[in-house]
Amino acid sequence: TSGERTAKAERMFELMDGFLKNDPLSLQKDILNHVEYTVARSRFSFDDFEAYQALSHCIRDRLIERWHDTQLHFKRKDPKRVYFLSLEYLMGRSLSNSIINLGIRDQCADALSQLGFEFEVVAEQEGDAALGNGGLARLSACQMDSLATMDFPAWGYGLRYQYGLFRQVILDGFQHEQPDYWLNFGNPWEIERVHVTYPVKFYGTVEEEILNEEKYQVWIPGEMIEAVAYDNPIPGYGTRNTITLRLWAAKPSNQHDMEAYNTGDYIDAVVNRQRAETISSILYPDDRSHQGKELRLKQQYFFVSASLQDIIRRFKDVHKDLSQFPDKVALQLNDTHPALAIPEVMRVLVDEEHLGWNKAFDITCKIFSFTTHTVQAEALEKIPVDLLGSLLPRHLQIIYDINSYFMEELKKRIGLDYNRLSRMSIVEEGAVKSIRVANLSLFCSHTVNGVSKLHSELLQTRVFKDFYELWPEKFQYKTNGVTQRRWIVVSNPNLCALISKWLGTESWIRDIDLLMGLREYATDISLHQEWQMVRRVNKMRLAEYIEATSGLKVSLDAMFDVQIKRIHEYKRQLLNILGIIHRYDCIKNMAKDDRRKVVPRVCIIGGKAAPGYEMAKKIIKLCHAVAEKINNDSDVGDLLKLVFIPDYNVSVAELVIPGADLSQHISTAGHEASGTGSMKFLMNGCLLLATADGSTVEIIEEIGEDNMFLFGAKVHEVPTLREKGSTIKVPLQFARVVRMVRDGYFGFQDYFKSLCDRVEGNNDYYLLGSDFESYLGAQAAADKAFTDKEKWTRMSILSTAGSGRFSSDRTIQDYAEKTWGIEPCRCPL
Ligand code: CR1
């Protein structure tokens, strides 16, 4: 009865102490309690790692409080919600980020130091959560931070891989991969929801059933696997709002295949069931090509099906009428990976809810929006029809039905232009008949967007031209962004303090446009001094890291020149390395006296190659071979060093980016959809050496060409250059450095041959040869600018000051208004 309930609630309030307190003394008590009762160590002797564990649990408790309040608040207000579906999230570490977003950094540092620990050391005990490959996955993480901070009613959904992205180990200069069993030491940042589980079905057949004289298709599945929810609270900054990243893990279902127990082979039966868990066991490490593997498809459907059951359940808790679904729900497809959500929604609406096909399709088209992260048509996902038909027979039927409808609609618009119809069709009739997932997503989403202005133009004029011509209103662009909380506040605390001091406020951490205020002081001598000081301390930290990982001592007076990102031919790490060889060659051939004029450099390269990507792996080996030669050459000394930073990941980036003077974003124009690394460097006052590709074009608009080092062919020039092929005049220096590699100057002559072949004559698809001269020109300009300390510092300040447009807060605001139609829902204090 309600009387009993009130009495119970009162009793609960009496028992509660109120919210957890955040003064250093209370924090210390809580830490010690967790040392004793959670970590089960003696409070008189625990090490840095155990301190990390205990502190994490303290923070987790505080997150849970806020998270409860936020969820309750959302429930009461029932706003339209956005559900972000992504197969990848690169969260990195959580401790510092959470503490900073909770606003209790100093209190935690005090509490720890009174217990004899140092905050930074404790925070470094944490391993990275690397449930993603690269740009796309880190973008998801930044966007979650912004969604929480800006009070949006949002959920992230994904997969809880047991093995994250492989660890890169370098042996003899070659990349080797090791599994990343990141859960080995426990994960305090997740809450296992043993009762939030859903069955996910696979295989089987489709049968027709007649109900009230209507025909229905019924899917009789052949396998059932249970999805269990793991919730990761995502705290906003400067708000109580804490949202959820819900990741699904596969568990064998205990509802099905009971007959297995009667076969007498109990052990085999259990072992077979255990196999179910493999669905969520491993992240695919290739970030561009997906070869229609069954396990990958299973992962996609598994996560989509569980997420949709969860979303529909939440909706139905409050609403009866599914036609209101689009008023309450926005579903965001992060690339095509979750696109099976489209036929799945149709299946639920038609087969389970018994809505008419037209009505169901109308609802479906109102809820989906789709972001594409690629430029190349070849990189678009395709699912072989045979595979889909066996794994998800009903979904294949639905996709065929959607396609018939689509083709009819198209014919009304374009007539019987069969070439075009077959280009646009969702079904590709090739050697391997397959489903074009992007076409499905395009047709069924109300909005599609690229991730920078340039990228969206390329989508409209090349990749999705046919679609754009018919539905221009669907197309938007949303330039990517990164969160300043992680990329300045957490990773560069000194710069953070300096910015706040000069702006006279910390508000820029939530309101990034304020950063522009720094422009006013770009020539202020005392800011210059403080700025240089901060940068020097960060360089020191990076130099220590380099020495610890590679044994190489580097000079702090040298320019730290960094290229860190996944290794890809289009990103042109090879151009960088060939440039370094050229620099080395020049130094070697110089008169001793002239060497004094050389601007010393430390070239830093880092990044993982997909395990099956041979060329990328050769690039890594070449980098090591060249480094070996240069770093041991006494003619060169401190004038040039080359370092490969192994196992590049989010936490390595947090250390490297603040310490970089110059960073390289040198993809062949038209190939990088956006690029987000550049934005992190920009925020940290690192100058960019870049091509006019992806989001760089917009960075130029913000800070001006004068404040960076731009080079290379422009997007519209690339096709002509390619046509010219081997008739292009390639500079002599280029031929010379390639020849050095070919002739075995750095050893491994046979091994590097195919790499050299790749960049010469007609094969030079990424135009290293034709861009080489202007690349060297930009490098020379960077050298020159570096010798003028005042100029460099001014450029650096202006870079940070102009980085506001590249905050993910701006990106998310844009999505909320123009794509999702959602509003903030702020939890009261
Ligand atoms: C793109 O290559 C972009 C990110 C985030 C990448 C990069 O240019 O900044 O997405 N794509 O939008 C990707 O990771 C798997 O594809």
Side-chain angles (χ1 to χ4, degrees):
T1 66
S2 80
E4 277 165 15
R5 269 207 304 276
T6 325
K8 196 171 163 195
E10 271 168 21
R11 175 84 182 118
M12 292 306 234
F13 273 115
E14 270 170 41
L15 285 173
M16 225 175 112
D17 293 338
F19 292 116
L20 292 167
K21 296 186 184 66
N22 292 321
D23 57 284
L25 192 66
S26 309
L27 281 165
Q28 273 178 65
K29 283 190 191 156
D30 289 353
I31 293 173
L32 290 179
N33 276 335
H34 276 298
V35 167
E36 186 109 20
Y37 303 115
T38 308
V39 186
R41 297 293 293 180
S42 152
R43 56 183 60 204
F44 301 105
S45 105
F46 57 101
D47 63 16
D48 286 330
F49 180 70
E50 286 148 1
Y52 155 71
Q53 288 180 300
L55 178 58
S56 299
H57 277 94
C58 288
I59 301 306
R60 169 193 163 109
D61 294 344
R62 284 156 179 79
L63 291 177
I64 289 173
E65 283 181 349
R66 288 157 186 253
W67 184 79
H68 276 148
D69 291 351
T70 311
Q71 299 314 312
L72 195 66
H73 184 66
F74 287 171
K75 206 166 185 170
R76 281 206 191 112
K77 295 275 171 185
D78 190 35
K80 182 174 183 185
R81 292 149 158 116
V82 65
Y83 294 105
F84 188 82
L85 306 183
S86 177
L87 218 51
E88 299 190 11
Y89 294 87
L90 265 179
M91 304 303 283
R93 292 174 175 154
S94 286
L95 180 64
S96 292
N97 198 232
S98 301
I99 287 177
I100 279 167
N101 282 11
L102 294 181
I104 55 172
R105 160 80 175 61
D106 294 344
Q107 295 89 318
C108 288
D110 276 1
L112 280 177
S113 94
Q114 286 170 36
L115 294 170
F117 292 88
E118 205 183 313
F119 179 74
E120 280 77 19
V121 177
V122 169
E124 272 169 26
Q125 302 303 309
E126 183 175 359
D128 276 32
L131 307 185
N133 274 286
L136 170 151
R138 181 54 226 178
L139 182 73
S140 311
C142 282
Q143 294 188 337
M144 288 303 292
D145 182 80
S146 291
L147 283 165
T149 299
M150 297 165 80
D151 302 318
F152 284 116
W155 269 255
Y157 280 101
L159 269 185
R160 179 181 178 270
Y161 303 105
Q162 278 182 298
Y163 295 90
L165 184 61
F166 67 88
R167 300 255 171 91
Q168 179 189 54
V169 181
I170 305 290
L171 294 175
D172 235 358
F174 291 99
Q175 168 178 300
H176 293 256
E177 299 89 31
Q178 274 180 358
D180 165 48
Y181 196 72
W182 66 296
L183 296 167
N184 259 356
F185 296 98
N187 176 14
W189 307 109
E190 65 183 11
I191 300 150
E192 184 183 8
R193 300 284 181 204
V194 285
H195 293 299
V196 184
T197 67
Y198 297 97
V200 177
K201 303 161 200 160
F202 294 101
Y203 305 107
T205 53
V206 180
E207 283 166 23
E208 203 168 78
E209 211 169 70
I210 299 192
L211 197 79
N212 302 330
E213 291 170 29
E214 292 271 355
K215 278 193 209 153
Y216 290 100
Q217 303 297 322
V218 185
W219 177 21
I220 321 283
E223 184 181 288
M224 185 130 99
I225 288 167
E226 204 89 349
V228 184
Y230 285 78
D231 287 346
N232 299 253
I234 310 288
Y237 176 91
T239 172
R240 199 167 171 76
N241 279 40
T242 298
I243 59 174
T244 314
L245 171 59
R246 178 161 281 183
L247 303 178
W248 303 105
K251 293 278 155 74
S253 157
N254 50 16
Q255 290 172 21
H256 246 31
D257 61 31
M258 294 308 286
E259 77 278 12
Y261 291 87
N262 298 329
T263 64
D265 201 343
Y266 167 70
I267 301 289
D268 265 6
V270 173
V271 168
N272 267 334
R273 288 158 51 75
Q274 205 89 51
R275 234 175 261 151
E277 291 182 34
T278 53
I279 288 197
S280 57
S281 69
I282 182 148
L283 166 81
Y284 275 87
D286 201 315
D287 60 343
R288 252 141 263 260
S289 62
H290 306 287
Q291 294 115 351
K293 289 269 193 301
E294 183 177 62
L295 180 59
R296 168 83 179 183
L297 192 61
K298 271 187 139 173
Q299 290 186 335
Q300 295 184 344
Y301 181 66
F302 174 77
F303 125 80
V304 155
S305 165
S307 305
L308 281 172
Q309 292 182 63
D310 201 37
I311 292 165
I312 293 169
R313 180 202 43 81
R314 189 170 300 120
F315 174 84
K316 281 189 160 181
D317 275 352
V318 187
H319 305 276
K320 291 209 177 58
D321 182 3
L322 274 158
S323 55
Q324 286 171 6
F325 204 53
D327 304 330
K328 291 293 172 188
V329 170
L331 290 177
Q332 174 66 29
L333 304 176
N334 196 30
D335 219 296
T336 53
H337 316 153
L340 285 171
I342 295 169
E344 174 66 0
V345 167
M346 282 299 287
R347 190 189 64 81
V348 172
L349 295 183
V350 174
D351 296 2
E352 292 179 3
E353 302 290 333
H354 297 164
L355 260 59
W357 204 90
N358 290 337
K359 171 105 190 156
F361 195 62
D362 181 56
I363 294 176
T364 303
C365 293
K366 283 186 180 143
I367 54 179
F368 283 104
S369 51
F370 156 53
T371 302
T372 174
H373 298 261
T374 188
V375 177
Q376 271 134 312
E378 310 86 77
L380 298 175
E381 253 185 314
K382 286 181 200 164
I383 309 174
V385 161
D386 287 348
L387 181 62
L388 187 61
S390 111
L391 190 68
L392 300 166
R394 179 63 184 135
H395 295 78
L396 181 60
Q397 281 183 351
I398 292 172
I399 293 174
Y400 278 151
D401 289 345
I402 294 177
N403 198 43
S404 308
Y405 174 73
F406 176 39
M407 289 292 115
E408 287 316 309
E409 289 295 296
L410 259 186
K411 282 180 201 157
K412 286 185 209 153
R413 302 277 306 263
I414 63 170
L416 299 178
D417 178 346
Y418 285 112
N419 277 334
R420 187 159 179 197
L421 287 171
S422 89
R423 280 202 307 267
M424 294 181 75
S425 172
I426 295 168
V427 182
E428 184 176 87
E429 309 277 351
V432 181
K433 190 170 176 181
S434 39
I435 301 302
R436 296 173 175 143
V437 192
N439 293 21
L440 174 70
S441 309
L442 273 166
F443 180 56
C444 303
S445 298
H446 57 79
T447 306
V448 50
N449 72 279
V451 286
S452 70
K453 215 194 260 179
L454 178 68
H455 178 219
S456 306
E457 281 163 19
L458 292 176
L459 295 177
Q460 294 170 12
T461 53
R462 297 183 193 173
V463 193
F464 299 139
K465 185 165 180 279
D466 287 321
F467 284 85
Y468 178 68
E469 280 168 7
L470 294 175
W471 293 282
E473 69 285 354
K474 275 194 186 185
F475 284 73
Q476 298 191 354
Y477 80 89
K478 297 274 180 298
T479 303
N480 285 164
V482 300
T483 164
Q484 67 268 30
R485 267 81 59 187
R486 164 94 38 171
W487 297 105
I488 302 180
V489 187
V490 172
S491 65
N492 199 344
N494 295 331
L495 184 68
C496 172
L498 186 62
I499 295 172
S500 300
K501 178 185 152 190
W502 280 79
L503 294 178
T505 172
E506 288 188 347
S507 304
W508 60 274
I509 302 174
R510 270 183 73 91
D511 183 0
I512 192 76
D513 288 341
L514 295 174
L515 266 192
M516 255 186 287
L518 284 176
R519 284 185 180 149
E520 204 179 307
Y521 311 107
T523 53
D524 190 305
I525 286 306
S526 43
L527 175 59
H528 273 218
Q529 279 167 359
E530 293 173 35
W531 197 268
Q532 284 161 11
M533 187 74 103
V534 165
R535 308 213 89 256
R536 185 134 183 126
V537 172
N538 292 336
K539 282 176 83 167
M540 214 135 74
R541 205 167 52 140
L542 175 52
E544 280 166 15
Y545 183 76
I546 291 173
E547 190 172 352
T549 49
S550 68
L552 199 70
K553 272 198 173 33
V554 296
S555 154
L556 293 183
D557 295 324
M559 183 201 303
F560 284 16
D561 162 354
V562 176
Q563 188 181 22
I564 40 173
K565 47 184 88 226
R566 282 297 284 254
I567 313 286
H568 269 284
E569 287 166 282
Y570 84 82
K571 291 178 190 282
R572 299 200 294 190
Q573 281 91 356
L574 187 52
L575 177 62
N576 186 0
I577 297 171
L578 292 174
I580 293 167
I581 297 177
H582 173 75
R583 183 175 288 268
Y584 173 64
D585 191 38
C586 289
I587 297 173
K588 290 288 280 181
N589 293 321
M590 246 175 222
K592 276 240 163 57
D593 274 356
D594 288 340
R595 290 196 184 146
R596 265 180 296 140
K597 290 188 215 128
V598 173
V599 179
R601 285 243 190 172
V602 177
C603 300
I604 298 162
I605 298 180
K608 293 178 183 176
Y613 188 172
E614 202 187 331
M615 283 302 153
K617 289 185 138 176
K618 291 195 180 203
I619 291 171
I620 291 176
K621 173 63 188 170
L622 179 63
C623 183
H624 284 91
V626 173
E628 173 88 17
K629 186 96 183 170
I630 295 179
N631 298 344
N632 294 309
D633 189 332
S634 56
D635 281 355
V636 174
D638 272 346
L639 294 184
L640 185 60
K641 289 273 175 273
L642 173 56
V643 192
F644 187 89
I645 297 205
D647 202 34
Y648 175 59
N649 60 19
V650 176
S651 54
V652 172
E654 287 174 39
L655 187 107
V656 174
I657 293 171
D661 294 306
L662 185 76
S663 71
Q664 301 197 35
H665 310 278
I666 58 178
S667 49
T668 317
H671 285 269
E672 191 67 272
S674 160
T676 45
S678 53
M679 301 169 179
K680 298 161 197 168
F681 284 103
L682 190 72
M683 278 185 177
N684 282 276
C686 167
L687 305 197
L688 310 187
L689 191 146
T691 46
D693 197 16
S695 58
T696 306
V697 178
E698 289 155 81
I699 294 180
I700 300 168
E701 286 172 13
E702 278 319 275
I703 68 170
E705 235 177 271
D706 298 347
N707 288 310
M708 59 196 289
F709 308 102
L710 207 60
F711 77 99
K714 302 281 186 288
V715 173
H716 64 272
E717 296 165 343
V718 168
T720 334
L721 287 169
R722 282 201 179 128
E723 264 165 41
K724 283 190 189 159
S726 59
T727 60
I728 298 178
K729 224 181 95 228
V730 166
L732 280 176
Q733 304 109 308
F734 185 74
R736 180 173 164 83
V737 291
V738 177
R739 171 94 358 238
M740 284 168 77
V741 179
R742 258 194 207 291
D743 287 351
Y745 194 81
F746 305 98
F748 302 89
Q749 195 169 356
D750 293 341
Y751 182 74
F752 293 138
K753 181 178 178 299
S754 54
L755 206 52
C756 296
D757 291 345
R758 204 72 154 197
V759 296
E760 286 194 320
N762 278 326
N763 294 338
D764 189 12
Y765 185 74
Y766 293 109
L767 304 174
L768 278 71
S770 70
D771 270 355
F772 198 63
E773 203 165 286
S774 75
Y775 177 66
L776 296 182
Q779 287 288 12
D783 281 332
K784 182 151 180 268
F786 195 70
T787 55
D788 182 346
K789 243 193 167 155
E790 203 188 311
K791 178 178 177 188
W792 188 277
T793 308
R794 192 182 66 235
M795 289 170 81
S796 167
I797 295 168
L798 288 174
S799 296
T800 303
S803 65
R805 180 165 156 198
F806 307 100
S807 163
S808 44
D809 294 352
R810 194 259 318 126
T811 318
I812 286 298
Q813 184 64 41
D814 226 27
Y815 275 107
E817 280 171 20
K818 301 207 188 90
T819 304
W820 303 326
I822 56 163
E823 281 176 7
C825 183
R826 190 174 170 93
C827 181
L829 291 181

